[in-house]
Amino acid sequence: MPKIRPEQVAATVKKSLAPVYFVFGDEPLIVQESCDAIRTAAREQAFIERELYHTDAGFSWDELYNSANAMSLFADKKIIEIRVHNGKPGDAGGKAIAEYCASPNEETLLLIVSPKIDARSQKSKWFTAIENCGATIQVWPIGPQQMARWVDQRMKRAGLNADSEAIDILCAKTEGNLLAAVQEIEKLKLVAEGTLIDAHTMTTAVTDSARFDVFGLVDKAMHGDSRAAAHSLQGLRGEGSEPLSLLWALAREIRALNSIREAIDSGEHFDRAAQRNGVWEKRKPLFKGALSRLKTRQLHDLIRKAALADRAAKGMANGDVWNILLDIVLGLAGTRVLSAKNQKLEFRS
């Protein structure tokens, strides 16, 4: 099956479902929306159950064999979703994926989600097996050059039209943060009179933003201001913000930091690594400051906590998602919190 572009996913899966999908990239909003489209189409075709696995500590690729071969109590079709936290399934994972793709279960849809993977991994046996059996969706970052066009398309999808000046204002406000841009567009639908958005309307809407905003939270944490970041998180919670929206914004920066850290440790220059990870020029000092505080081990711990927060928000792990988000915010700010190895992670059956 050919590769599917993210903007084609919703229409493609409505026509027919592949047995295996691999969604990968470092643009959390688009990755999430691509996965949502696949899950929605699968549910419409009676894939009722969903099993979610994360390839962090304690995961075994035997889970794929066991889950695919296990009969459901009610004989429902099911989705097996595996999130490969570092984009590297390893030898055991590569073998398990290739073997599954050689003989997929008709009652199961396998969805694998991962950050971006390198060119070498895209030539591996397991990746080729997915291409031969199912479909791959590669999500590319939206850079400064593409941002205006993306915002324009998103506005039209929301039933709004904006002139070029208004679009430039929104791009400048959100600085490449897609989730933030979507939130602003949703707000415009509520406050704008009519469907035509000009520069004045956009400026007014941006000026009237809520006191606490997602980017402010992330920037305060990245700056190392733990007190202000925790205060922003509490404010966002009080305003009824969705925890998953905050998590996407935090996880995006944490993954970028981790990717840049790995690149620097491998000898790559910071500027090149930052550009490759979609870091805008204005935000480079913020990333440099965060990297000066955070070690590789701390970044990996934050990635694990983000995965736990995702599960808790979806009712698949015990624990208060807001407490976990606070841990993430404080950890990103460089404040020492309870070590992951001392946390008891209890999963709901």
Side-chain angles (χ1 to χ4, degrees):
M1 181 175 290
K3 296 178 180 178
I4 304 175
R5 295 197 302 272
E7 62 270 22
Q8 298 174 322
V9 173
T12 301
V13 296
K14 282 184 179 180
K15 294 178 181 177
S16 64
L17 277 175
V20 180
Y21 288 95
F22 180 37
V23 183
F24 62 103
D26 286 340
E27 201 64 77
L29 175 67
I30 300 178
V31 168
Q32 181 68 31
E33 290 181 340
S34 297
C35 292
D36 285 344
I38 293 168
R39 296 189 203 102
T40 298
R43 283 194 295 270
E44 290 174 353
Q45 297 190 34
F47 288 84
I48 306 301
E49 294 186 12
R50 174 174 173 246
E51 296 179 6
L52 176 63
Y53 301 94
H54 293 259
T55 61
D56 47 16
F59 175 80
S60 169
W61 281 96
D62 288 340
E63 297 286 352
L64 176 56
Y65 296 115
N66 297 337
S67 179
N69 293 323
M71 293 295 292
S72 168
L73 181 61
F74 301 104
D76 285 328
K77 296 179 180 179
K78 64 183 175 183
I79 302 170
I80 300 176
E81 184 170 336
I82 301 178
R83 300 191 181 181
V84 184
H85 70 282
N86 60 359
K88 300 175 182 177
D91 292 340
K95 180 181 178 182
I97 292 170
E99 289 184 0
Y100 180 87
C101 289
S103 182
N105 188 331
E106 293 182 358
E107 302 300 308
T108 298
L109 184 147
L110 176 60
L111 173 59
I112 303 172
V113 187
S114 161
K116 68 178 180 182
I117 61 174
D118 55 28
R120 182 178 179 181
S121 296
Q122 294 185 45
K123 297 177 182 177
S124 64
K125 291 182 179 179
W126 63 266
F127 188 88
T128 302
I130 294 175
E131 288 187 310
N132 292 335
C133 169
T136 61
I137 298 103
Q138 184 170 10
V139 177
W140 293 96
I142 304 296
Q145 296 80 10
Q146 297 86 36
M147 187 66 182
R149 181 171 178 269
W150 186 88
V151 167
D152 183 44
Q153 292 174 338
R154 202 78 191 204
M155 294 277 289
K156 289 175 179 174
R157 189 191 301 183
L160 302 172
N161 287 288
D163 59 32
S164 59
E165 189 177 357
I167 290 173
D168 287 343
I169 292 170
L170 183 55
C171 291
K173 164 68 177 177
T174 55
E175 293 185 339
N177 188 321
L178 302 192
L179 176 59
V182 168
Q183 290 175 330
E184 291 289 351
I185 292 169
E186 289 300 311
K187 184 175 68 177
L188 282 167
K189 288 169 61 178
L190 299 175
V191 302
E193 295 182 3
T195 60
L196 182 61
I197 309 299
D198 57 15
H200 175 73
T201 303
M202 184 70 77
T203 301
T204 302
V206 169
T207 302
D208 291 340
S209 294
R211 179 184 172 192
F212 300 102
D213 61 80
V214 178
F215 348 94
L217 165 68
V218 175
D219 284 358
K220 288 166 187 172
M222 292 275 285
H223 194 264
D225 192 341
S226 57
R227 184 182 295 274
H231 183 58
S232 289
L233 179 66
Q234 187 63 30
L236 285 162
R237 182 180 184 178
E239 291 174 351
S241 298
E242 287 292 330
L244 278 175
S245 297
L246 308 186
L247 178 61
W248 285 334
L250 289 164
R252 172 194 168 91
E253 304 298 71
I254 293 167
R255 291 193 188 99
L257 284 167
N258 186 60
S259 179
I260 295 171
R261 166 64 69 199
E262 290 179 348
I264 293 173
D265 291 345
S266 299
E268 188 173 352
H269 192 273
F270 168 81
D271 285 336
R272 182 178 176 82
Q275 183 179 12
R276 190 164 48 77
N277 282 276
V279 178
W280 292 50
E281 191 68 31
K282 185 178 177 181
R283 294 180 62 77
K284 284 183 179 179
L286 205 58
F287 274 75
K288 278 187 177 180
L291 287 169
S292 70
R293 295 191 313 272
L294 300 169
K295 301 183 184 300
T296 301
R297 176 183 55 77
Q298 292 171 296
L299 290 170
H300 289 175
D301 183 41
L302 288 171
I303 291 172
R304 285 192 292 270
K305 285 181 178 177
L308 175 61
D310 180 75
R311 295 195 291 270
K314 294 174 180 176
M316 305 189 73
N318 289 328
D320 188 311
V321 65
W322 289 101
N323 288 338
I324 303 170
L325 283 173
L326 178 59
D327 272 1
I328 293 170
V329 167
L330 294 177
L332 184 57
T335 300
R336 191 177 183 85
V337 294
L338 184 64
S339 171
K341 67 182 180 180
N342 294 324
Q343 290 179 336
K344 184 177 181 182
L345 310 184
E346 298 181 0
F347 298 91
R348 293 179 180 173
S349 58

